[in-house]
Amino acid sequence: MTHANTTTARRIVSPRHARALIDHGPGWAIMWDDRDVQPVIVRPERGDDGRLLEICTYEELFTLGGFCDPGEDAHACQACTPRAQPDFDVIAAHLTDTLGDVYLDRADIAACMPLTLPYTRALAEHGLNRRFQGVRRAHLFDQLYRSPDGHLIELTIPLPTTSDHVPASTLTIEWAYLCTHSAAPGNPGPDPVAPADTPPADIAAMIATHLAIHPPASTTDSMVSTDSADMPGTPIPA
């Protein structure tokens, strides 16, 4: 068996990993560490620079990423509330599938996440935290952030280009909780487009100001506050 096949065969999330994440509780995540060739339990902030690949946070564990089917995954649905008795075998199978899917984008995530760090740190000063690791789209990288009240903001960050003939893309802001990225009539959002060289601190201040002046009428996405301390990962034997 080749090294690549060996690595793929070991790229799994076991019931023990799922149980360990539940034991750690809110504010923790299960991520893949290529150096240890296994999942580790860490704070989500450890994935800010892309060295660790995020599989699932504690908060997301109870919905299995939105793929919990009440008809086919009855046992998994018992895990949709923290007080229920989860079926760790079913959850582990779902998370293994998730790992297989997100690992396909491993190289892009690892390369692009460092570019989001200035924005992540600037937004953290205003209480907005990164939600999930981002997604690359050609020369752009989408990164979602969440306010303390659970309001979602998405930044579309232009990636560096090596061509002198390609104009620099603009950075755009999508006010996800308003279901729009446009400053159309009747939409209280400010101009969602900013020059790519706009200081991240200015972007963060604009977002924070908008959230303070135009809070949405209802909250559809709650947030659990987490400790941002850089804590070491906890390898869990498979």
Side-chain angles (χ1 to χ4, degrees), residues 192-223:
V193 178
D197 59 356
T198 304
D202 292 351
I203 297 293
M206 181 179 69
I207 290 173
T209 298
H210 174 267
L211 287 170
I213 297 175
H214 301 289
S218 63
T219 299
T220 58
D221 188 17
S222 62
M223 173 181 176

Side-chain angles (χ1 to χ4, degrees), residues 62-115:
F62 297 102
T63 61
L64 295 175
F67 293 105
C68 185
D69 186 329
E72 298 181 3
D73 300 323
H75 293 293
C77 285
Q78 294 180 15
C80 287
T81 58
R83 294 182 180 86
Q85 178 58 45
D87 186 320
F88 292 106
D89 290 319
V90 174
I91 291 174
H94 274 271
L95 296 186
T96 296
D97 288 342
T98 298
L99 174 57
D101 292 339
V102 298
Y103 203 89
L104 297 175
D105 298 322
R106 180 75 181 97
D108 282 341
I109 291 173
C112 297
M113 283 300 292
L115 300 175

Side-chain angles (χ1 to χ4, degrees), residues 6-235:
T6 301
T7 301
T8 300
R10 297 176 61 190
R11 199 177 294 146
I12 63 172
V13 179
S14 74
R16 186 176 299 180
H17 297 127
R19 187 184 300 274
L21 179 56
I22 287 181
D23 288 343
H24 277 72
W28 292 85
I30 182 169
M31 295 188 178
W32 180 263
D33 188 345
D34 274 332
R35 295 164 297 182
D36 292 334
V37 197
Q38 67 173 312
V40 293
I41 308 298
V42 296
R43 294 289 190 180
E45 293 85 354
R46 290 291 300 279
D48 284 350
D49 62 5
R51 283 182 292 180
L52 299 181
L53 181 65
E54 186 172 303
I55 302 171
C56 183
T57 66
Y58 172 87
E59 290 76 17
E60 295 152 16
L61 184 67
F62 297 102
T63 61
L64 295 175
F67 293 105
C68 185
D69 186 329
E72 298 181 3
D73 300 323
H75 293 293
C77 285
Q78 294 180 15
C80 287
T81 58
R83 294 182 180 86
Q85 178 58 45
D87 186 320
F88 292 106
D89 290 319
V90 174
I91 291 174
H94 274 271
L95 296 186
T96 296
D97 288 342
T98 298
L99 174 57
D101 292 339
V102 298
Y103 203 89
L104 297 175
D105 298 322
R106 180 75 181 97
D108 282 341
I109 291 173
C112 297
M113 283 300 292
L115 300 175
T116 71
L117 270 174
Y119 302 96
T120 296
R121 290 168 176 166
L123 285 164
E125 294 291 326
H126 296 276
L128 284 90
N129 293 309
R130 177 182 64 78
R131 186 186 186 199
F132 312 129
Q133 289 176 317
V135 178
R136 181 173 182 170
R137 294 186 294 112
H139 299 295
L140 301 171
F141 193 73
D142 296 333
Q143 182 59 69
L144 200 62
Y145 294 91
R146 184 167 52 185
S147 75
D149 294 327
H151 309 148
L152 298 180
I153 303 294
E154 184 174 74
L155 296 187
T156 297
I157 303 168
L159 303 179
T161 175
T162 57
S163 173
D164 295 333
H165 304 291
V166 178
S169 299
T170 55
L171 180 144
T172 61
I173 304 168
E174 179 173 352
W175 311 99
Y177 64 88
L178 297 175
C179 300
T180 180
H181 55 78
S182 171
N187 171 28
D191 189 347
V193 178
D197 59 356
T198 304
D202 292 351
I203 297 293
M206 181 179 69
I207 290 173
T209 298
H210 174 267
L211 287 170
I213 297 175
H214 301 289
S218 63
T219 299
T220 58
D221 188 17
S222 62
M223 173 181 176
V224 176
S225 177
T226 62
D227 182 1
S228 61
D230 183 17
M231 302 183 69
T234 306

